[in-house]
Amino acid sequence: MRRTRIVAGLLCAIAAAAVLAAPVLKAGTEPLNYVDINKIKGEGLQRSQVMDLASWLTDVYAPRLTGSPMSQKAAEWTVAKLKEFGLVNVKIEPWANRNGFERGWTNDKFYLAAVAPEKFPIPGTPTAWTPGTDGLVSGEVVMVTATTEADLAAYKGKLQGKWVLTQAPPDVAAYWKAPATRYTREELDALEAWPAPQPEFGAAPPGGRAGGPGAPAPGAPPAAGRGGMGSMAARNAFFKAEGALGTFTTAPRGHGIYTVGGNRAADPATTLPAIAIGAEYYGRIARMLAKNIPVTIEANIANTFHPDPPVFNIVGELPGTDKTDEIVMLGGHFDTWHAATGATDNSVGVAVMMEAMRILKTSGVKLRRTVRIGLWGGEEQGLIGSREYVAAHFARRQPAPAQAGQPGPPGGRGGIGPQGPLELKPDWDKFSVYFNIDNGTGALRGIYLQGNDAVAPIFREWMEPFRSLGMTTMTIRNTGGTDHLAFDAVGLPGFQFIQDERLQPGDLQKMATIAAGFAYFAANRDEKLPRKPLTVPVAGRPAK
Ligand SMILES: [Zn+2]
């Protein structure tokens, strides 16, 4: 068997040599060193520290809103931990550009309750970068669903000292399905059979989970802080000018779950206290108002702005041997939103990738290439940290001529405006691959090939040792919304795993083991991973 494989490999190499410049794909010849793989599995599955890391990152050093004092404290803990694991060149790396983070923000006190006609507490969370109340305040509630300037004019002079419900109460669907599910065999098969007939952009793909429960209902007003800020900001400015006390929003998910964001560039002069509350409370208040029963709400909310906040990524590495100047990266975003402890988004990715680095170091396996961890800030505000890192170390898109002189990268999640040619740094050629975790938080079930067919035969073989851990599926499909896109955007191989949902200790152990295994394979194969053909011109370099 072994001999046959070697001969087959030689034949492939000879055949490939005759095809000049074609990537050499030697199916069935990835070197799988099962002695090392067993060391990685032993460390990751029998002596795991991943749940301890996850606890520190969620129970103690959370939430980690970008630019908040806690994000800095958590980063210092992370740096110390990575050093303790034996990584080198561990550091907090500030971004070259602030990207609009002029102020950090924290919610330091929160009291919200109805006081008439009945007294009941209202759980909620302030929208980030909004002001608190002026101490203890109280006022009646008004619903204003008007969005146009003309319709809003009807409320002129009627909002002084009032709270504003800014949207109609959503319909909340019952949970007929369990909140946490594993991908079924059928769903995984559907992913592997991609491309299926293309759904509309943003719709849930067949077998996939994009969108999912909690996606905004059609016609819902834009959530504060993420896209569509224009109309929301204009309405809030109107409410503020009219002397309203603050605004309430909710989400159709219900069952006590709501989502909250924020706009780091919100202008304090036109921003009111804004609070996300659960759909059940929102609906109760709205339904009382519909019966012409006045509702009075009391609040005392203290939010603090922190000037010149820290904005950064965290990096550290395990040096390679004979290919030490070549780079394999593992990572995920370090920042979270502020409503909870960020366990599933994305403390799990941070804990798993830190653990993968620990596994690689502690198991003592040889790494030919340098394996580097990157933990990104500002992902939730538009993949900012990873884009900053890629621009600083690997490549950046020059601004399109018309855009030259505009500060900072374009905003928006994955939104890339018109851009010029690629400007490459020396390490662009030294880069092999980046693996990201930020997708659903549960067991790894496979990998998205991100449209890169050439890696399929390689990943197929790399998955084999982890088949028993549930890692079985490859799909040519792209997956978006997170930091591998920052690498993909400049022609570097960047991948995201296919994942189940929810944090489970066994899942996290398997995740870290698989991530360590993939980094190990990438660090040790003879060639760097094949890339997709570049579709953009490269500045100062003839097209290949
Ligand atoms: Zn995330």
Side-chain angles (χ1 to χ4, degrees), residues 86-168:
L87 273 65
V88 299
N89 300 326
V90 183
K91 62 186 171 200
I92 295 172
E93 193 172 291
W95 301 343
N97 185 320
R98 277 208 163 279
N99 292 283
F101 284 89
E102 300 305 326
R103 304 177 301 167
W105 180 91
T106 46
N107 169 233
D108 302 326
K109 178 193 284 189
F110 184 83
Y111 160 68
L112 183 69
V115 291
E118 287 300 317
K119 295 185 174 65
F120 56 90
I122 305 173
T125 303
T127 299
W129 294 286
T130 58
T133 57
D134 189 7
L136 183 66
V137 296
S138 178
E140 287 190 1
V141 186
V142 186
M143 176 171 294
V144 183
T145 54
T147 53
T148 65
E149 218 178 309
D151 291 345
L152 282 169
Y155 292 90
K156 262 203 153 317
K158 295 179 181 169
L159 300 178
Q160 180 73 37
K162 301 274 173 44
W163 296 102
V164 181
L165 296 180
T166 58
Q167 64 192 92

Side-chain angles (χ1 to χ4, degrees), residues 134-512:
D134 189 7
L136 183 66
V137 296
S138 178
E140 287 190 1
V141 186
V142 186
M143 176 171 294
V144 183
T145 54
T147 53
T148 65
E149 218 178 309
D151 291 345
L152 282 169
Y155 292 90
K156 262 203 153 317
K158 295 179 181 169
L159 300 178
Q160 180 73 37
K162 301 274 173 44
W163 296 102
V164 181
L165 296 180
T166 58
Q167 64 192 92
D171 288 331
V172 175
Y175 273 178
W176 296 112
K177 279 169 57 181
T181 54
R182 298 232 184 253
Y183 273 105
T184 63
R185 194 63 254 164
E186 292 69 34
E187 287 176 321
L188 290 172
D189 287 348
L191 273 175
E192 200 144 275
W194 200 265
Q198 296 290 320
E200 280 183 44
F201 180 77
R209 306 290 178 87
R226 172 92 39 89
M229 268 307 298
S231 66
M232 196 72 177
R235 291 176 79 210
N236 283 335
F238 173 79
F239 299 147
K240 169 113 181 175
E242 288 296 306
L245 284 179
T247 59
F248 295 112
T249 54
T250 190
R253 185 173 287 207
H255 306 267
I257 301 169
Y258 54 85
T259 50
V260 64
N263 172 19
R264 64 193 184 280
D267 178 359
T270 58
T271 307
L272 278 173
I275 304 130
I277 63 176
E280 289 79 2
Y281 295 90
Y282 194 99
R284 180 179 180 185
I285 297 163
R287 289 187 293 271
M288 285 203 278
L289 296 182
K291 294 175 174 61
N292 289 318
I293 302 171
V295 178
T296 301
I297 285 182
E298 196 175 71
N300 189 355
I301 299 167
N303 297 335
T304 306
F305 291 97
H306 306 267
D308 300 323
V311 285
F312 54 81
N313 300 312
I314 302 165
V315 291
E317 56 192 30
L318 297 170
T321 53
D322 61 311
K323 293 177 184 288
T324 191
D325 59 336
E326 295 185 0
I327 304 149
V328 169
M329 288 195 76
L330 298 179
H333 70 88
F334 191 71
D335 65 306
T336 71
W337 282 112
H338 57 289
T341 60
T344 57
D345 190 9
N346 183 29
S347 296
V348 61
V350 176
V352 161
M353 290 315 199
M354 288 175 73
E355 168 72 355
M357 297 299 282
R358 188 197 67 81
I359 292 168
L360 288 172
K361 174 69 181 176
T362 309
S363 64
V365 296
K366 191 185 82 168
L367 301 170
R368 298 181 65 193
R369 293 186 181 82
T370 293
V371 178
R372 185 182 296 166
I373 186 171
L375 303 172
W376 320 117
E379 190 272 351
E380 297 292 3
Q381 289 77 29
L383 321 185
I384 296 170
S386 55
R387 285 186 184 156
E388 278 284 314
Y389 188 83
V390 167
H393 293 268
F394 301 121
R396 61 187 279 269
R397 295 290 296 275
Q398 293 177 341
Q403 280 202 324
Q406 280 188 10
R413 198 176 181 80
I416 294 180
Q419 291 188 315
L422 266 184
E423 184 185 309
L424 306 182
K425 309 262 179 189
D427 275 356
W428 188 83
D429 287 311
K430 304 286 186 184
F431 186 89
S432 179
V433 63
Y434 172 69
F435 295 108
N436 190 71
I437 288 192
D438 180 30
N439 231 21
T441 76
L444 303 187
R445 306 299 301 278
I447 192 160
Y448 296 96
L449 299 177
Q450 210 63 29
N452 184 347
D453 281 298
V455 294
I458 300 165
F459 287 172
R460 175 62 69 205
E461 292 184 46
W462 290 5
M463 290 200 298
E464 191 54 35
F466 303 112
R467 207 172 175 70
S468 59
L469 305 186
M471 180 79 177
T472 58
T473 301
M474 282 192 315
T475 175
I476 192 65
R477 223 191 104 178
N478 290 347
T479 182
T482 187
D483 293 299
H484 64 295
L485 293 181
F487 294 81
D488 192 65
V490 298
L492 297 175
F495 302 98
Q496 169 84 13
F497 296 102
I498 300 167
Q499 280 183 265
D500 288 337
E501 301 163 357
R502 307 287 157 156
L503 257 77
Q504 299 296 324
D507 284 1
L508 266 65
Q509 291 169 13
K510 293 175 189 171
M511 288 163 76

Side-chain angles (χ1 to χ4, degrees), residues 46-91:
Q46 285 153 34
R47 293 177 290 283
S48 176
Q49 295 187 17
V50 74
M51 286 309 282
D52 184 54
L53 292 170
S55 173
W56 281 99
L57 286 161
T58 52
D59 299 325
V60 183
Y61 293 109
R64 297 182 296 276
L65 185 68
T66 299
S68 65
M70 179 53 92
S71 73
Q72 175 72 23
K73 266 194 237 176
E76 287 163 12
W77 174 84
T78 302
V79 162
K81 201 73 192 172
L82 291 174
K83 285 180 179 170
E84 182 190 315
F85 287 161
L87 273 65
V88 299
N89 300 326
V90 183
K91 62 186 171 200

